[in-house]
Amino acid sequence: MAMWATTIGVLVALIAADFFIGGRKPHDVSLKEAGTWTAVWVLLAVAFGGFLWWHSGSAPAGQFFAGYITEKSLSVDNLFVFILIMAKFAVPSIYQQRVLMVGVLIALVLRAAFIAAGAAIIAGFSWVFFIFGAFLIWTAWKLIKEAGAGAEEEFEENRLLRAVENRFPATDRYHGTKLLVVQNGKRLITPMLIVMLAIGTTDVLFAMDSIPAIFGLTQDAYIVFTANAFALMGLRQLYFLIGGLLKKLVHLSYGLSVILGFIGVKLLLHALHEAGAHWAPEIGIPFSLGFIVVVLAVTTVTSLVASRKEEQSLPERELQKQ
């Protein structure tokens, strides 16, 4: 319990430092600032993994790093949707970091609830691994089909967001970073509050596959939570750092589908083993970590190569049209 309390206290202190140093005053985030803070959060995650190694041994540390890398790679996919949300609500660039900061905090709280529920279910019903495994394999197949279709993604408001917009009157423009304003004696919400809710609640949809995925790597709720926390808290800076590069990661969905499919198979094998089928092999964390890193590296390289070829062939196609 002391470990949980200390960790949450440190995370709150880090989030407060992030806000007061770089996020309190609305401004356009430069690449230098985004790169610096991204490096800081990555180094903090590495330092925490080192602490786990010292405190609890190599196995928990390996589980943390495997979970962190998985959650971080899945979070990069979230950035595509965050860009769509920012565009839909026409968020001024100087306010985008505030939106992301609060939105990510909402997402972290909601994920903590998901993690607590998942840990309780796993503790009471080991057969849930069959459901998690099958769901991840289905999600992987769905990702491959969507990537192959190449359809343009559009942001659709969820039920909670639509209910808020229908129930509470809102202003038609932003009022700085204010969430509520009073006009003609009436209290109104601003688009800033709506877009923050959009970021936070939309992440719940991504948690539907990311939470089962990390439970496929470790059943330790503490490691699941901290891996999610470190992956999410660096997401705001990563948005500004690689926002322009996201379109070049054309094979990211394929890579994520392979990772989710792999973890799904790992979960099914673990479920069989727990059910008494001792012939079912258990896939260790070192292999899992190596597999995830290799898939992400290959995906990144092939994406950049494909994007470069696409850019080089673009002028030729334009000439042919003329």
Side-chain angles (χ1 to χ4, degrees):
M1 198 65 183
M3 189 77 159
W4 274 97
T6 303
T7 302
I8 292 174
V10 171
L11 281 173
V12 170
L14 290 173
I15 292 168
D18 186 6
F19 173 75
F20 284 107
I21 294 174
R24 182 171 58 174
K25 183 179 179 181
H27 64 282
D28 288 314
V29 178
S30 66
L31 285 177
K32 180 180 179 181
E33 179 184 348
T36 300
W37 276 103
T38 297
V40 167
W41 279 107
V42 171
L43 288 174
L44 286 172
V46 172
F48 179 78
F51 165 75
L52 273 182
W53 195 305
W54 169 79
H55 183 271
S56 305
S58 59
Q63 292 170 3
F64 170 78
F65 283 121
Y68 171 73
I69 293 172
T70 300
E71 293 298 314
K72 198 71 173 177
S73 59
L74 290 169
S75 294
V76 170
D77 201 34
N78 298 10
L79 296 182
F80 286 103
V81 178
F82 289 175
I83 290 173
L84 295 175
I85 292 174
M86 294 292 190
K88 178 179 177 62
F89 290 97
V91 182
S93 59
I94 62 172
Y95 301 139
Q96 288 185 5
Q97 67 161 344
R98 179 65 63 84
V99 168
L100 287 168
M101 175 173 284
V102 177
V104 165
L105 287 176
I106 294 172
L108 183 57
V109 172
L110 294 176
R111 285 200 181 202
F114 267 64
I115 292 167
I121 293 172
I122 288 172
F125 309 98
S126 60
W127 50 261
V128 78
F129 286 117
F130 285 109
I131 298 176
F132 281 0
F135 176 74
L136 288 179
I137 292 173
W138 175 80
T139 302
W141 173 242
K142 184 181 175 184
L143 269 178
I144 292 176
K145 288 177 64 178
E146 290 176 352
E152 289 292 326
E153 193 172 7
E154 294 183 2
F155 171 69
E156 295 183 4
E157 297 180 358
N158 55 54
R159 291 183 179 179
L160 174 62
L161 204 57
R162 289 197 298 269
V164 170
E165 292 178 310
N166 293 332
R167 187 177 180 83
F168 300 97
T171 62
D172 57 358
R173 63 184 180 88
Y174 289 87
H175 293 262
T177 57
K178 293 181 179 178
L179 306 181
L180 300 168
V181 295
V182 177
Q183 291 183 350
N184 300 321
K186 296 179 62 177
R187 189 178 296 275
L188 306 174
I189 64 175
T190 69
M192 179 67 72
L193 176 58
I194 296 173
V195 72
M196 285 177 177
L197 289 174
I199 293 288
T201 57
T202 299
D203 182 79
V204 173
L205 300 177
F206 294 102
M208 294 296 289
D209 53 43
S210 66
I211 299 302
I214 193 171
F215 270 119
L217 298 169
T218 176
Q219 284 80 61
D220 189 325
Y222 176 77
I223 295 176
V224 173
F225 172 75
T226 51
N228 270 272
F230 279 105
L232 281 177
M233 292 318 303
L235 196 58
R236 174 171 64 92
Q237 293 82 5
L238 199 61
Y239 172 89
F240 296 104
L241 182 64
I242 69 171
L245 296 176
L246 284 175
K247 292 183 179 179
K248 294 187 177 182
L249 298 177
V250 293
H251 296 158
L252 178 62
S253 292
Y254 293 107
L256 294 179
S257 67
V258 171
I259 292 172
L260 290 177
F262 166 76
I263 297 176
V265 171
K266 183 178 185 299
L267 274 172
L268 290 178
L269 291 174
H270 177 73
L272 288 170
H273 193 81
E274 289 291 310
H278 298 297
W279 53 264
E282 291 270 28
I283 301 175
I285 286 297
F287 180 85
S288 299
L289 179 58
F291 181 87
I292 292 167
V293 170
V294 169
V295 170
L296 289 176
V298 170
T299 299
T300 301
V301 172
T302 59
S303 293
L304 295 177
V305 170
S307 296
R308 180 174 295 180
K309 288 182 179 180
E310 179 69 18
E311 291 173 356
Q312 291 174 347
S313 64
L314 187 60
E316 296 179 5
R317 294 202 301 269
E318 291 294 331
L319 287 174
Q320 290 175 358
K321 290 180 180 179
Q322 296 175 1

